[in-house]
Amino acid sequence: AQKITQTQPGMFVQEKEAVTLDCTYDTSDQSYGLFWYKQPSSGEMIFLIYQGSYDEQNATEGRYSLNFQKARKSANLVISASQLGDSAMYFCAIGGTSYGKLTFGQGTILTVHP
Amino acid sequence: SQTIHQWPATLVQPVGSPLSLECTVEGTSNPNLYWYRQAAGRGLQLLFYSVGIGQISSEVPQNLSASRPQDRQFILSSKKLLLSDSGFYLCAWSDRAYGYTFGSGTRLTVV
């Protein structure tokens, strides 16, 4: 079984500052992937970034980076230079080898203040 | 390119009425297909997944069922809706590599 824990129900950040959203995971799979999705109020799920368990380098996608610490089983999302449009719910998810199913955390609501 | 279509976008149904939500995928063949439900302010819960035509696996016992009559079509159904079936339903596909593409979702309100 896989589990994702997001301990921050809500986070606030000032525009143009960086913010870290926490994610810890548990899995018995040797090979797995970690994902972050953004869900704005419209409800769509927007893929942000992916980290494979065997990737040695932390993933980066534009202003998004994933701070992957395998020994600590954490996969925190770092958003640099926050923008007002970043205000949304953010989900961390883990996918193992079982038919590609993803297990999601409960999410973190990020609010960016001007 | 691959696209996923999900409809309707919103639905208000009375308790005890039937349900049919449809999801179709374009630009890929033999995808894994998934139905998720999201309660208000919560994470996504996997309801069903399918690895091929006619192959359905259920993750949680519930009032819902799923079918895959064609390779790129996935349908979520209920014979009699309950109040607890209200939520945001998302269809997704995966090509057996890591990663999903989600549909735009259906907001179901059972009244």
Side-chain angles (χ1 to χ4, degrees):
Chain A
Q2 298 175 319
K3 185 179 179 181
I4 290 285
T5 302
Q6 293 181 255
T7 57
Q8 306 157 315
M11 288 286 287
F12 296 88
V13 66
Q14 208 70 23
E15 192 178 9
K16 300 181 184 177
E17 293 185 349
V19 62
T20 298
L21 306 184
D22 294 340
C23 172
T24 57
Y25 63 92
D26 192 20
T27 181
S28 56
D29 290 337
Q30 295 299 311
S31 177
Y32 52 89
L34 293 155
F35 303 80
W36 277 93
Y37 286 87
K38 171 184 178 182
Q39 187 180 43
S41 57
S42 61
E44 61 183 313
M45 293 290 284
I46 301 170
F47 168 75
L48 296 178
I49 196 166
Y50 164 81
Q51 178 86 41
S53 58
Y54 291 114
D55 294 341
E56 295 185 354
Q57 303 248 354
N58 285 342
T60 61
E61 290 286 348
R63 295 186 298 111
Y64 304 107
S65 60
L66 199 153
N67 184 1
F68 182 46
Q69 298 186 45
K70 194 171 183 177
R72 300 178 64 180
K73 293 189 175 181
S74 74
N76 298 339
L77 176 71
V78 180
I79 305 175
S80 63
S82 296
Q83 302 172 356
L84 296 178
D86 293 334
S87 293
M89 176 81 92
Y90 288 80
F91 289 101
C92 180
I94 185 170
T97 55
S98 178
Y99 301 109
K101 294 182 289 183
L102 290 184
T103 300
F104 286 82
Q106 290 300 301
T108 297
I109 299 175
L110 176 66
T111 303
V112 181
H113 290 302
Chain B
S1 64
Q2 301 89 355
T3 57
I4 181 168
H5 302 281
Q6 187 180 342
W7 66 93
T10 59
L11 196 57
V12 180
Q13 292 284 97
V15 168
S17 64
L19 173 73
S20 181
L21 302 180
E22 187 164 344
C23 172
T24 59
V25 181
E26 295 178 0
T28 185
S29 59
N30 202 25
N32 287 352
L33 296 172
Y34 311 86
W35 278 110
Y36 282 85
R37 177 170 61 198
Q38 184 180 25
R42 304 295 300 276
L44 276 68
Q45 180 188 37
L46 179 64
L47 301 176
F48 300 95
Y49 67 91
S50 171
V51 300
I53 297 174
Q55 300 179 61
I56 308 295
S57 296
S58 174
E59 287 292 292
V60 293
Q62 60 217 317
N63 185 42
L64 303 169
S65 62
S67 62
R68 187 170 176 175
Q70 300 179 42
D71 180 45
R72 286 170 281 183
Q73 183 185 29
F74 205 23
I75 298 171
L76 183 69
S77 304
S78 173
K79 293 183 179 178
K80 290 185 177 181
L81 284 169
L82 306 172
L83 288 174
S84 57
D85 292 324
S86 294
F88 189 55
Y89 290 81
L90 284 156
C91 179
W93 76 272
S94 166
D95 60 358
R96 294 193 174 86
Y98 290 126
Y100 278 37
T101 299
F102 284 89
S104 53
T106 297
R107 293 195 187 278
L108 172 65
T109 304
V110 183
V111 297

